[in-house]
Amino acid sequence: DKIIAISEYVKKSIIKIYNIEPKKITVIHRGVDLNFFNSNNLKDKDIINFMRKNFIPFDKKIILFPGRLTEWKGQLQFIEILKRIKNKDIFCIFVGDNKNINYLKKLNKKIYENNLEHMCKILGNQKNMPLIYKFSHIVVSAPLKGEGFGRTIAEAMAMKRLIIAYDFGGVKEQIQDLPAINRVSPLNQDELLNKIVQCIEINDSEYINLTNKYYNIVLNKFTTKNMIDKTIELYQSL
């Protein structure tokens, strides 16, 4: 009777591939739990202990690249970006499901071959993502193809972390109201590099102003409550 699409991007894909009547499809964006992704729940000592245990430097700006370790998520291509960053006061962490052993080996090899062990680390799957977002300065989304929604962006916005993302797929709908510094033309590595350099230089007050706006966008559009309410409403309408 009805189809739920998790983004406008997915709705358009359904129409194009299956030639389904647009009126039959309702877009209900995915959401994040603001009680879980909440900075106030985190203790400084837990963050310090985690960083010490995982040898994450305290004196550098942390770039977080969250996402399953798999070819299309773009980690290998991001190594090329890290190679070109002249600012040595950064440290990148790759966080996400690392069951793909062959890809994990490939990623480790690329880090080693480019002598980047001093500025990046693979942490693999982590349960306490709010804690990792909290100590990160910039969160990057740079997959090789558009994602259906791309929930790590909404999570990072909820945690008031600076984001840089390829402007396509379902992510486009989350970042469309953000300034140019947060949005990168898909697969444009030069632009991605430039935006990272700009974001590293942002001062504290600008950072806070920008990330407070993110939080309000998530609050208004991308919460789990919103997602659940709209889903129940759709079922009840049938």
Side-chain angles (χ1 to χ4, degrees), residues 205-226:
S205 63
E206 204 178 339
Y207 190 103
I208 291 164
N209 286 340
L210 198 49
T211 54
N212 280 340
K213 285 175 190 166
Y214 295 174
Y215 184 82
N216 289 328
I217 289 170
V218 174
L219 187 63
N220 292 325
K221 294 183 181 178
F222 304 116
T223 63
T224 42
K225 185 182 185 311
N226 197 33

Side-chain angles (χ1 to χ4, degrees), residues 166-217:
Y166 281 157
D167 195 11
F168 63 172
V171 168
K172 188 181 186 76
E173 293 154 51
Q174 298 173 64
I175 64 174
Q176 61 189 2
D177 297 324
L178 301 186
I181 195 170
N182 302 127
R183 295 178 281 112
V184 179
S185 307
L187 309 180
N188 187 328
Q189 288 207 322
D190 291 338
E191 191 185 340
L192 178 56
L193 174 65
N194 290 334
K195 296 280 167 82
I196 289 169
V197 171
Q198 287 175 51
C199 283
I200 291 167
E201 301 301 325
I202 279 180
N203 64 44
D204 290 349
S205 63
E206 204 178 339
Y207 190 103
I208 291 164
N209 286 340
L210 198 49
T211 54
N212 280 340
K213 285 175 190 166
Y214 295 174
Y215 184 82
N216 289 328
I217 289 170

Side-chain angles (χ1 to χ4, degrees), residues 32-39 41-42 127-130 159:
V32 297
D33 182 350
L34 293 184
N35 293 318
F36 183 68
F37 290 98
N38 184 339
S39 294
N41 297 339
L42 298 164
K127 285 182 180 169
N128 195 345
M129 281 307 294
M159 291 296 298

Side-chain angles (χ1 to χ4, degrees), residues 8-56:
E8 292 291 344
Y9 167 69
V10 169
K11 178 178 177 176
K12 284 174 188 163
S13 301
I14 294 169
I15 294 164
K16 185 179 172 186
I17 296 165
Y18 300 104
N19 196 26
I20 284 172
E21 176 63 40
K23 285 181 189 168
K24 199 172 183 179
I25 306 167
T26 300
V27 173
I28 301 177
H29 288 110
R30 303 299 83 189
V32 297
D33 182 350
L34 293 184
N35 293 318
F36 183 68
F37 290 98
N38 184 339
S39 294
N40 298 327
N41 297 339
L42 298 164
K43 295 185 176 77
D44 287 344
K45 68 176 175 64
D46 292 336
I47 295 169
I48 291 165
N49 288 341
F50 182 91
M51 291 177 76
R52 278 189 182 143
K53 183 182 167 189
N54 290 283
F55 303 103
I56 296 164

